[in-house]
Amino acid sequence: MSGLFGEKGKGFGVLLAAALGVPVYVCGGGTIPLLAEWLRGGMSYGSAAAFMVSGPATKLTNLSAMKSVLGVGRFVSYAGFVLLFSVVLGFIVNFFYRAA
């Protein structure tokens, strides 16, 4: 866990955690015990934040509802924004956690 998502590879870990959150079918409450164990295993806080945002926001039921409400073009924009926001948030969390 620390090799992929840990302190050494913070940048890659954040990107990987955001991407991993998309296919993993979890809700907001379901990610908490999962991330607690991953943090104990060496995951950085930024990677955890990226996973926490991208996972529930891209859950299959949420995506299907968003696509039907927004249409295809806006849906693609939504998915892109969620992934971009989760990555940026992960980098910000890692920056401030390191500075503290």
Side-chain angles (χ1 to χ4, degrees):
M1 191 56 62
S2 65
L4 288 175
F5 303 106
E7 295 297 319
K8 286 185 179 180
K10 281 185 184 180
F12 178 72
V14 169
L15 294 171
L16 186 61
L20 182 65
V22 174
V24 176
Y25 189 79
V26 292
C27 64
T31 60
I32 294 170
L34 181 65
L35 287 175
E37 284 301 312
W38 286 355
L39 285 168
R40 280 189 215 118
M43 181 182 236
S44 73
Y45 285 100
S47 296
F51 183 85
M52 183 72 177
V53 170
S54 70
T58 58
K59 198 166 75 165
L60 186 59
T61 53
N62 296 353
L63 289 179
S64 63
M66 295 301 283
K67 185 179 176 190
S68 66
V69 170
L70 297 176
V72 175
R74 290 186 181 127
F75 169 74
V76 170
S77 296
Y78 166 78
F81 176 78
V82 165
L83 290 175
L84 178 67
F85 179 77
S86 65
V87 169
V88 169
L89 177 70
F91 285 130
I92 289 170
V93 168
N94 274 341
F95 175 77
F96 282 110
Y97 182 74
R98 182 184 59 205

